[in-house]
Amino acid sequence: MAHKPVLYIVIPCYNEESVLPITSGMFRDKVRQLADAGKISDESRILFVNDGSKDKTVQRARELGFHHVVSFRRNKGLARGFMAGLDACL
């Protein structure tokens, strides 16, 4: 039996509290769809990187059931957010 690839989706966030319920649901649905189709492993994850948000982005992500969250105290920029997310996936 072939080993299915594990997909990690890294999403940098900055003050996304109000839209997180919508976008996180879209990503979650897509990951579930790909896993159900046998294209990726059930171990695939969505990882949010909080880039110093001043709102409740982190709390909102956790309320929505996402426990894979990296958080910066202050804004470090998109590239550093992606790199932190990739590092967390290793």
Side-chain angles (χ1 to χ4, degrees):
M1 181 177 209
H3 189 54
K4 296 176 193 169
V6 177
L7 173 67
Y8 286 91
I9 299 175
V10 176
I11 305 172
C13 300
Y14 182 74
N15 294 336
E16 303 291 337
E17 173 187 8
S18 63
V19 297
L20 207 55
I22 298 163
T23 55
S24 65
M26 292 168 60
F27 280 106
R28 183 179 271 159
D29 290 347
K30 186 48 125 173
V31 169
R32 182 82 265 141
Q33 180 185 41
L34 291 169
D36 288 347
K39 297 183 185 258
I40 61 173
S41 168
D42 286 332
E43 299 300 313
S44 297
R45 297 284 177 259
I46 300 167
L47 185 128
F48 290 98
V49 178
N50 175 44
D51 195 14
S53 296
K54 297 180 186 333
D55 66 0
K56 295 182 180 183
T57 295
V58 172
Q59 295 92 324
R60 193 70 170 134
R62 291 197 173 121
E63 287 169 2
L64 292 164
F66 293 94
H67 303 289
H68 302 282
V69 180
V70 173
S71 192
F72 297 144
R73 289 186 185 183
R74 61 182 180 84
N75 187 278
K76 294 187 178 190
L78 186 62
R80 288 182 105 183
F82 272 122
M83 291 308 295
L86 292 175
D87 284 345
C89 293
L90 299 176

